[in-house]
Amino acid sequence: MGSPARISRQQVALVSCPLTSRGAIPLALPSLAAFAEMHGYPVACWDLNLEFQDSIRASGVAEEIWDTRQWYGANPAAIEPLLEALADDWAKIIMDSEPTVVGFTVSVTSAEVSLMMAKAIKRRSPATKTVFGGPECKLNWRRFIAKKAVDFVVLGEGEQPFVSLLQALDQGLIQFDMPSVITKAASDEAHQSAVNTELDALPQPDFSKMTLARYIQRGVTELPILASAGCVQSCTFCSRNFLDGAYRCKSPQRIVDELQHNIGTLSLIHISEPTRPY
């Protein structure tokens, strides 16, 4: 009788790239980290939005660049070399922890820097698997999976498909049939987006993965809470229903429990509502 196949547990790094505001904690990182660690996968989180912003400010580039209107209007020749250099520097730091899988949460404003980072990761460690997920992947998964630096794309709410992908990689698989995980061999047809039907079943986001003191704005740390997903409307002119699916919500008790956990466990003085212009 042959010996059982050796299963190697994946070591995970989760990365969020520019551009978001400085005080915004990327909820995808602590949420995915909590779910992956619940299934036995060690996770490190890297919010490069903060790191790049500090470096860009130190380089003398005007702080106004960290505004989406300025970001898109900037001269690419002036800022892209700096972003490429930062990507290479941070790829080395991330790879020093020897992750076998690096996952990126990708929005429309972070797509270009995420691709820069994925390329830098692959230059240093071609064997490391790179995974793109997040809202921009629903619209542009074909573009991302066509890139040499991107091995897999996860569609929809990524907790379960990401863990399923890690389990497949544990077994040495690189081609498989998962509805919400796109591989290099995937067809060009539409793919299914994952949906968390029971939000209460998700673990509480692990904010201990984030250096919360770095997010203080006006003396307050604002922790995001996902109370619901999807939308109650199905407006034809809006992408919300297409991107987020049907409306679902956490129970009131779960929301209260999450608030109490964040305040008590993380020793926060209070959580404020963001300042609104109205």
Side-chain angles (χ1 to χ4, degrees):
M1 183 176 179
S3 59
R6 179 177 179 271
I7 295 180
S8 175
R9 301 290 282 182
Q10 304 303 307
Q11 308 289 314
V12 180
L14 296 176
V15 180
S16 180
C17 290
L19 168 76
T20 61
S21 64
R22 183 172 184 83
I25 299 174
L27 183 57
L29 299 191
S31 298
L32 286 169
F35 196 85
E37 291 202 330
M38 184 176 73
H39 288 81
Y41 294 99
V43 179
C45 293
W46 302 88
D47 183 3
L48 298 187
N49 183 64
L50 293 180
E51 309 299 347
F52 277 44
Q53 187 171 358
D54 287 346
S55 297
I56 287 175
R57 180 183 293 112
S59 72
V61 175
E63 289 190 25
E64 287 75 16
I65 194 66
W66 227 258
D67 177 281
T68 52
R69 293 165 295 182
Q70 296 292 331
W71 185 265
Y72 285 113
N75 178 6
I79 194 171
E80 282 187 9
L82 176 57
L83 294 174
E84 293 278 8
L86 288 172
D88 194 61
D89 290 343
W90 279 99
K92 179 182 184 303
I93 293 171
I94 292 171
M95 294 314 299
D96 282 347
S97 63
E98 300 183 340
T100 58
V101 176
V102 180
F104 294 85
T105 175
V106 185
S107 66
V108 64
T109 56
S110 69
E112 297 308 317
V113 182
S114 296
L115 286 170
M116 290 181 187
M117 279 301 306
K119 291 175 184 177
I121 293 288
K122 283 293 191 180
R123 283 196 297 267
R124 292 188 172 274
S125 179
T128 299
K129 302 304 180 187
T130 53
V131 185
F132 272 31
E136 188 65 8
C137 292
K138 276 196 175 183
L139 299 173
N140 286 313
W141 65 264
R142 292 175 180 85
R143 177 196 176 205
F144 296 143
I145 200 63
K147 301 292 185 181
K148 291 182 179 180
V150 180
D151 293 304
F152 305 99
V153 176
V154 173
L155 296 184
E157 295 163 0
E159 285 87 351
Q160 186 57 61
F162 184 61
V163 165
S164 297
L165 170 59
L166 296 177
Q167 292 169 341
L169 294 175
D170 285 346
Q171 301 175 52
L173 303 176
I174 58 172
Q175 299 296 341
F176 37 74
D177 185 14
M178 295 182 190
S180 302
V181 178
I182 299 173
T183 71
K184 291 292 190 185
S187 67
D188 193 50
E189 63 189 25
H191 293 266
Q192 178 179 331
S193 293
V195 173
N196 294 318
T197 56
E198 297 294 336
L199 297 184
D200 280 5
L202 297 175
Q204 295 187 8
D206 185 0
F207 289 107
S208 70
K209 300 291 182 183
M210 320 301 293
T211 306
L212 294 180
R214 299 192 66 189
Y215 298 93
I216 294 175
Q217 297 286 300
R218 302 178 300 279
V220 174
T221 301
E222 298 175 350
L223 292 189
I225 290 180
L226 178 70
S228 64
C231 184
V232 296
Q233 304 291 342
S234 298
C235 301
T236 57
F237 57 82
C238 181
S239 63
R240 182 73 180 270
N241 188 55
F242 166 71
L243 291 174
D244 298 339
Y247 180 75
R248 293 144 286 139
C249 62
K250 290 179 179 175
S251 66
Q253 186 59 54
R254 167 57 192 265
I255 295 171
V256 170
D257 290 345
E258 200 163 318
L259 285 168
Q260 291 177 334
H261 171 80
N262 291 345
I263 294 170
T265 304
L266 302 176
S267 301
L268 297 177
I269 296 174
H270 65 283
I271 302 172
S272 75
E273 283 292 324
T275 301
R276 302 185 187 280
Y278 50 85

